[in-house]
Amino acid sequence: MRSLRTGLSLGSVLTGIAALGALLVAAPAAHAADTPLRDLAAAKGKAIGTAVTGSKLTGTYGDIAGAQFSSLTPGNAMKWETVEPTRGTYNWAEADQIVAFAQAHNQQVRGHTLVWHSQNPSWLTNGTWTSAQLSSLLQDHITTEVTRYKGKLAAWDVVNEPFNEDGTYRSTLWYNGLGSDYIAQALTWAHAADPGAKLYINDYNVEGVNAKSTALYNLVKSLKERGVPIDGVGLQAHLILGQVPSTLQQNIQRFADLGVDVAITELDIRMQLPSDSAKLTQQAADYKAVFDACVAVSRCYGVTVWGFTDSDSWIPDVFSGYGAATPYDENYVPKPAYYAIAGSLGGTSTPPPTGACTATYSVQSQWNTGFTGQVRIACSGAALSSWKVNWTYGAGQRITQAWNADCTQSGAAVTCANASYNGTVPNGGSVTFGFNASWSGSNPVPTVTLG
């Protein structure tokens, strides 16, 4: 069951007072009393990160990103098509924004990604290049981007997804034009541009011991033997519910034994929708298994989730019928997976009690065409740093004015969120907001909406 999402029962209208349940959505710090994940991870000598979108780093999204994670990965902001959409014309705005946010929140940044077969600008992919030209373009790109952020980034995913599932090299612009040594060249150029950044090769379906991960292992072993600068491997870990590889920890350890770090770089665990309590329980166990494997190996640097909220996940757009892959639901409420992560890192693994926070709607006064209402949000056993309530009116009921909350109404659906000054509801405390509304015909009790 999704924690801290509380639906309340209908009341009845008695002598001008109506009570109803309103859906209370506990946003970022419904778990405010818990130790932040980044602090738990640090106590284990690990980093915990998330991929982020720069434009969203405000409000609830920004609050969670800043409070819970010690590392940020730009989801798209540092990819070639974003930073150089037209040859010689650069756009660093979102990347700079993410780096600035990280600096303000004492976070590291993981650069992603310098060399990839996807999300390249059309001027590059549609061009006709000699090997020498292609090499020069790649070197210039790596040097320009890494130099810009020299000293500001902890690590780079230098080469992304170089292998096919059978362990052969993927046919790409780079492999076809430069041969397999493009990987060594890219690492060498990145190291020259920022000797202090840790350099990784990153791929998916390499979490367990298999043909693809063995090819990556052999490549890293060869690069180390040749003296090519390689500091780590990234295991993306885009996983399916119930399918965490049994050899994950063994695989992490064998890479560590080569003398490189290992990072789980893009973790999400997708399920077939709709989600239910059984699936969420299994997902929590899966997240715990991944974190446990990283905690068990000293050279596992840490774990990054590929977006922390289901509303920001790439999964539904790519895998039809699948979703709910992250530790927070669409309303920023922590799911069982969040508490499983916390438990793996030594924190509290039990969600707060259901019903710890409630919302109660009442009619304070009523006249022939209108009424004044109030909603009281109260907590016992949990705390909130922000809140939102929803209800559905019958025909003819419409809010005309609200105070101590920002209320909107679309058709019959009403949503009210806290004002900037009253989002905090302490354990054992309460806040209220009020509104004026009109009615015609009758003024029935609204219908409860459950999330």
Side-chain angles (χ1 to χ4, degrees), residues 164-220:
N164 295 313
E165 296 304 300
D166 62 0
T168 58
Y169 282 102
R170 184 191 292 269
S171 176
T172 69
L173 177 68
W174 312 114
Y175 179 76
N176 297 340
L178 301 175
S180 62
D181 217 38
Y182 82 89
I183 297 172
Q185 292 170 329
L187 290 162
T188 301
W189 293 328
H191 179 71
D194 186 358
K198 300 291 187 181
L199 307 181
Y200 282 70
I201 300 172
N202 191 53
D203 215 327
Y204 65 93
N205 289 351
V206 292
E207 296 75 32
V209 176
N210 56 37
K212 192 174 187 180
S213 65
T214 298
L216 178 58
Y217 175 90
N218 290 333
L219 170 63
V220 172

Side-chain angles (χ1 to χ4, degrees), residues 132-427:
Q133 289 172 324
L134 200 58
S135 178
S136 179
L137 286 168
L138 186 57
Q139 182 177 6
D140 288 348
H141 169 67
I142 292 171
T143 302
T144 299
E145 185 156 9
V146 176
T147 299
R148 180 178 183 84
Y149 297 107
K150 181 179 180 180
K152 298 180 179 180
L153 268 62
W156 279 99
D157 291 327
V158 178
V159 177
N160 198 42
E161 302 174 1
F163 290 108
N164 295 313
E165 296 304 300
D166 62 0
T168 58
Y169 282 102
R170 184 191 292 269
S171 176
T172 69
L173 177 68
W174 312 114
Y175 179 76
N176 297 340
L178 301 175
S180 62
D181 217 38
Y182 82 89
I183 297 172
Q185 292 170 329
L187 290 162
T188 301
W189 293 328
H191 179 71
D194 186 358
K198 300 291 187 181
L199 307 181
Y200 282 70
I201 300 172
N202 191 53
D203 215 327
Y204 65 93
N205 289 351
V206 292
E207 296 75 32
V209 176
N210 56 37
K212 192 174 187 180
S213 65
T214 298
L216 178 58
Y217 175 90
N218 290 333
L219 170 63
V220 172
K221 184 173 185 290
S222 172
L223 292 170
K224 291 284 289 183
E225 291 169 348
R226 292 169 55 189
V228 175
I230 173 72
D231 299 294
V233 295
L235 315 180
Q236 291 185 13
H238 295 296
L239 303 176
I240 301 171
L241 190 72
Q243 296 184 26
V244 176
S246 61
T247 53
L248 174 60
Q249 183 177 326
Q250 173 191 343
N251 193 41
I252 294 172
Q253 187 64 62
R254 71 165 174 163
F255 279 106
D257 291 343
L258 288 177
V260 296
D261 294 334
V262 180
I264 308 295
T265 55
E266 304 181 19
L267 175 63
D268 50 31
I269 302 176
R270 63 187 181 270
M271 65 181 71
Q272 194 162 15
L273 297 174
S275 66
D276 57 35
S277 60
K279 292 175 184 177
L280 291 171
T281 299
Q282 178 64 56
Q283 184 185 57
D286 291 347
Y287 266 96
K288 184 176 187 300
V290 174
F291 274 80
D292 285 352
C294 182
V295 169
V297 180
S298 61
R299 290 207 71 154
C300 184
Y301 175 76
V303 180
T304 291
V305 295
W306 203 247
F308 59 84
T309 170
D310 290 343
S311 62
D312 197 43
S313 174
W314 69 299
I315 293 297
D317 294 333
V318 177
F319 298 96
S320 179
Y322 283 80
T326 77
Y328 288 78
D329 73 12
E330 301 88 343
N331 296 309
Y332 302 111
V333 179
K335 293 155 59 177
Y338 167 88
Y339 294 99
I341 293 169
S344 179
L345 296 174
T348 301
S349 59
T350 304
T354 299
C357 295
T358 59
T360 304
Y361 174 114
S362 62
V363 174
Q364 302 296 295
S365 61
Q366 180 175 311
W367 54 98
N368 60 347
T369 59
F371 64 99
T372 297
Q374 177 179 282
V375 174
R376 179 177 181 267
I377 297 109
C379 290
S380 178
L384 303 176
S385 67
S386 63
W387 46 262
K388 180 169 61 177
V389 292
N390 304 288
W391 65 85
T392 301
Y393 272 139
Q397 295 166 296
R398 177 160 294 276
I399 286 183
T400 56
Q401 179 188 18
W403 48 93
N404 299 330
D406 296 319
C407 294
T408 59
Q409 182 170 349
S410 177
V414 177
T415 298
C416 295
N418 62 274
S420 61
Y421 50 82
N422 68 346
T424 300
V425 186
N427 187 1

Side-chain angles (χ1 to χ4, degrees), residues 34-58:
D34 299 330
T35 303
L37 296 179
R38 61 184 290 173
D39 294 345
L40 296 174
K44 295 284 189 181
K46 307 297 181 183
I48 183 167
T50 182
V52 294
T53 301
S55 62
K56 296 182 179 180
L57 285 171
T58 60

